[in-house]
Amino acid sequence: SAASLESVAVARRVAGAREFEREDRRTVVRVTANFQDNAGFRRVSREVSKAIEDLQLPDGYEWSLGRTFFQMDQDMGETLFALGLACALVFLLLASLFESFVHPVTIFLTVPFSLLGAWGIFWLVDKNMNILGMFGVVALVGVAVNNGIVLVAHVNDLRAAGEPREEALVRASIHRLRPILMTTLTTLLGLLPMVAPYLLPEMFPASSERANLWAPLGLTILGGLLVSTVLSLIILPSMYSVFDSAAGAFRRAALSVGGGIGRLWNKVAS
């Protein structure tokens, strides 16, 4: 009866759940939160997992990160696969054009330089790289090697004309310095309108929201291209000389071994 219930409890009206959400035949409660702009998904997922991994839940209860985190992991895996495929295709194209594996390896040194610049610029401006920024990394594989192709191709042309390797490297660096700088600067200036609202939202309030989505792609290419251009002009000629000397030593050793095997075979056959 009502009298017996009031003797052991206090009845009051409270607001209950407006709806129950179920997933895979289980009741689900979703907890959402906003995080700071300088906190990326991976950092947030690690901190959330660390905060609640020791939480003692009643029997029948469990927790998991939302679909957004799993989708980000899936997108990251697909992007890394695309990055590896892009590197393989670009390397095969360079090997077919130069008819050598040595020069493509030398040119491919610009790719690590570009990756260093891509992640370094995000650290410098205190921003996080999103999935579109990773797409920019894939695009960098094809963009960053252009300067190396221009430089190495001219070095090979000068050497084919009879110039020594060191003189060809010096002359090619001088001849191709202006074209490389001009093409790089025009690309960087073309990316600035995309990146400026992202870096200076107070100056471009009308475009700052859209810039948060697309600007990481432009910022990735901007930083990667800038660093790869500078380091390529400084380091690439030296690496060309090192790899060319190593290739020459390998060819001489192979010819020596091949000649020795041939002479031994002739003695055995005779």
Side-chain angles (χ1 to χ4, degrees):
S1 64
S4 61
L5 182 60
E6 291 177 353
S7 63
V8 296
V10 177
R12 63 177 182 270
R13 293 177 179 269
V14 296
R18 300 182 59 182
E19 62 180 11
F20 292 94
E21 184 177 358
R22 299 182 66 83
E23 183 177 319
D24 295 333
R25 299 182 179 181
R26 294 181 298 178
T27 303
V28 177
V29 177
R30 302 188 186 276
V31 179
T32 60
N34 296 324
F35 50 86
Q36 298 176 350
D37 293 337
N38 60 350
F41 271 98
R42 290 189 173 274
R43 176 183 173 186
V44 171
S45 63
R46 289 194 301 266
E47 293 183 356
V48 170
S49 300
K50 182 178 179 181
I52 61 178
E53 63 183 1
D54 297 330
L55 184 63
Q56 300 296 327
L57 297 176
D59 293 338
Y61 288 79
E62 63 181 13
W63 68 271
S64 64
L65 297 175
R67 293 181 179 178
T68 303
F69 293 96
F70 293 108
Q71 185 65 41
M72 287 293 295
D73 288 336
Q74 183 179 358
D75 292 341
M76 183 64 67
E78 294 175 355
T79 304
L80 292 177
F81 173 78
L83 178 61
L85 181 61
C87 290
L89 293 176
V90 172
F91 184 84
L92 291 176
L93 178 62
L94 293 177
S96 63
L97 292 177
F98 285 98
E99 298 181 352
S100 169
F101 287 102
V102 177
H103 300 316
V105 171
T106 305
I107 294 173
F108 240 74
L109 290 176
T110 58
V111 175
F113 299 157
S114 65
L115 298 181
L116 177 65
W119 268 281
I121 196 169
F122 277 92
W123 173 82
L124 185 64
V125 300
D126 195 23
K127 299 288 186 179
N128 286 291
M129 181 181 292
N130 59 11
I131 191 63
L132 286 177
M134 292 300 300
F135 291 158
V137 172
V138 177
L140 268 177
V141 176
V143 175
V145 299
N146 291 338
N147 295 332
I149 293 174
V150 171
L151 183 61
V152 172
H154 192 45
V155 172
N156 291 342
D157 291 340
L158 293 177
R159 293 184 67 184
E163 291 195 16
R165 183 181 63 192
E166 284 70 20
E167 294 182 7
L169 286 170
V170 173
R171 288 191 60 188
S173 299
I174 296 174
H175 292 170
R176 292 295 180 259
L177 176 61
R178 185 175 179 181
I180 289 175
L181 291 180
M182 289 179 62
T183 54
T184 301
L185 287 176
T186 53
T187 305
L188 297 181
L189 291 175
L191 292 171
L192 281 181
M194 180 188 297
V195 175
Y198 186 62
L199 300 179
L200 303 171
E202 63 279 358
M203 296 181 62
F204 305 92
S207 306
S208 59
E209 291 298 329
R210 287 175 294 177
N212 289 332
L213 178 63
W214 293 102
L217 188 149
L219 190 62
T220 301
I221 299 177
L222 188 148
L225 187 59
L226 180 62
V227 174
S228 66
T229 299
V230 174
L231 294 182
S232 297
L233 292 173
I234 299 174
I235 300 177
L236 194 61
S238 299
M239 291 297 100
Y240 180 99
S241 179
V242 170
F243 282 109
D244 187 70
S245 298
F250 179 79
R251 285 193 295 267
R252 289 191 296 271
L255 291 175
S256 177
V257 172
I261 294 175
R263 289 191 296 270
L264 179 61
W265 174 258
N266 292 330
K267 290 182 179 181
V268 171
S270 61

